[in-house]
Amino acid sequence: MALTDLPLHSHGRKLVVDLSHEHGLALLSLPPLGGLRLQTRARRAVEEAVLSLAGPRATGAEGPPRSQPLLGPFVSRLAPIHPGQVGEEETVDLRYVVSGPRGYLRVLVGMVRANRPWRLVPGLSKALAAALATGAVATVNSTIWNLAESLSAPRLVIATVGSIALMIGWLIVDAQLWHRSAEVSREARQRARLYNASTVMTVGIGVLVCYAGLIVINLVWALFILNDQVFASTTRTPLNAAEYWTLSWFVASVATVGGALGSGLESDEAIRAAAYSKREQERRHMLQDDDGD
C-alpha cells in the first residue's frame, strides 16, 4: 500500500486510488481526499483498499468483469469519488477518480493542506525581519500617523489587498513558483492550472497569516511606545482604541510591502522549501532537470 501527497491524473481525471489485485498493490493519492478530516478519510480509504485486495477479486473468485468495477463502501463513504477508466494494457484492474467542480475543489484544498502554508512565515526569516523592522519604524513615524488618520476604511482595505497581492506576486515571481508546462495538451494545461492555483492559495494563506501577525505585533508595539500627547499634538486627534487599531492596520500594510522587498534576500530554495511539501519540491526538481536535459 503506497501513499503520496502528490495529485495524480488518469485519462483527464484526478486519480484517488489504483488497485492491482493480481499483484496485491494499491496506490492512494491524498489530495483528492480533501483538507478536512484527512487522517480519518485516509484511514478509511486504506481500509477499503486493503479489504478490496484481500477480497474475492484478489483471489480470482466470482466478481464483475474488469470493465465493471465493484462498487462498495469506498465509494459511498468518500463521495464524489467514483470508479474510473482503466486501460487494457495497464496492470491496474480497479481505479477510483474524482471529477467535476467539487472534485477539483477537493483536490485543490488537499494540495494546499499538503503544502502546509502556515510554514511560510517562519520559513521566510529575512522577509519577516524586514517586515518587522519596517513596522517598528513606521509606527513611530508622524507622517504615517497622519496618513492613517486621513484614510477611510475602504482605502485601508485597498491598502491591505494591494500589499498582500504585492507580497504574493513578488514571492511567486521572484522564486519562480509559477508552473509552466512544456506540453500543449488539454490535460497538461489543466494540471498546470491546478498546480498554479494551489501555489497562489498556499502563498496567499501564508501571507495572510503573516499579515495578521504583523497587526498584532504592531498593536503591541504601539501600545508600548506611543505617547498620547505627542500623537494628539501631531494629528489633532486623541489617541484612543480606534486610533491604535487604525494605525496598526495601516502599518501592517506598509510592513508587508517591506517584507516583500526583504523576501528578495531569500534564496529561491528557501522560498520553495517554505511553500511546498517535500514531494512537491522533488517533483519540481525533476521537471527542472528534464528541462535542463
Side-chain angles (χ1 to χ4, degrees):
M1 184 76 203
L3 284 75
T4 179
D5 59 8
L6 289 176
L8 303 178
H9 303 264
S10 174
H11 301 283
R13 304 291 179 89
K14 284 75 178 174
L15 187 147
V16 182
V17 64
D18 269 346
L19 299 171
S20 175
H21 292 82
E22 179 182 355
H23 299 90
L25 300 175
L27 173 62
L28 174 66
S29 176
L30 295 177
L33 301 183
L36 301 177
R37 298 185 293 116
L38 178 61
Q39 291 184 352
T40 301
R41 289 173 173 172
R43 184 169 57 250
R44 288 178 177 175
V46 170
E47 290 173 355
E48 300 297 345
V50 171
L51 289 174
S52 177
L53 291 175
R57 288 175 61 92
T59 61
E62 292 184 3
R66 178 173 175 169
S67 60
Q68 297 177 0
L70 180 66
L71 297 177
F74 182 79
V75 177
S76 61
R77 287 183 182 182
L78 300 174
I81 296 172
H82 54 83
Q85 178 183 352
V86 178
E88 291 295 331
E89 298 181 357
E90 296 185 70
T91 58
V92 175
D93 51 39
L94 187 57
R95 169 174 292 152
Y96 290 99
V97 298
V98 293
S99 59
R102 186 181 173 193
Y104 179 90
L105 181 61
R106 206 168 192 180
V107 174
L108 180 59
V109 173
M111 292 174 65
V112 173
R113 188 190 189 283
N115 288 334
R116 292 180 289 178
W118 51 87
R119 301 182 313 160
L120 190 66
V121 178
L124 300 177
S125 57
K126 295 177 182 177
L128 184 60
L132 292 174
T134 303
V137 173
T139 301
V140 296
N141 187 289
S142 59
T143 302
I144 297 295
W145 298 351
N146 288 316
L147 283 174
E149 287 302 309
S150 64
L151 291 177
S152 60
R155 289 189 174 186
L156 286 171
V157 171
I158 292 173
T160 298
V161 174
S163 62
I164 290 176
L166 177 64
M167 182 70 160
I168 294 172
W170 181 268
L171 287 173
I172 291 176
V173 173
D174 185 57
Q176 299 179 357
L177 302 182
W178 198 256
H179 178 82
R180 292 181 175 86
S181 176
E183 302 178 33
V184 296
S185 65
R186 180 172 177 269
E187 186 174 344
R189 292 196 300 269
Q190 289 179 344
R191 286 200 301 267
R193 285 196 294 267
L194 182 63
Y195 284 123
N196 289 330
S198 69
T199 296
V200 172
M201 287 186 63
T202 299
V203 176
I205 292 173
V207 172
L208 284 173
V209 172
C210 180
Y211 190 90
L214 287 173
I215 291 180
V216 174
I217 294 172
N218 291 333
L219 180 59
V220 173
W221 174 240
L223 289 170
F224 173 76
I225 200 70
L226 292 185
N227 182 283
D228 54 350
Q229 293 181 350
V230 175
F231 186 90
S233 65
T234 302
T235 63
R236 313 283 189 206
T237 304
L239 186 59
N240 52 37
E243 273 60 46
Y244 274 116
W245 166 253
T246 302
L247 179 63
S248 301
W249 183 4
F250 180 59
V251 168
S253 299
V254 176
T256 300
V257 175
L261 298 177
S263 67
L265 301 175
E266 303 278 3
S267 67
D268 292 350
E269 289 299 322
I271 297 176
R272 293 192 187 102
Y276 293 131
S277 67
K278 183 175 179 58
R279 295 291 177 269
E280 179 62 15
Q281 293 178 55
E282 292 175 353
R283 186 190 71 83
R284 287 177 175 262
H285 279 306
M286 291 176 62
L287 289 176
Q288 289 179 350
D289 293 341
D290 291 341
D291 292 340
D293 295 338

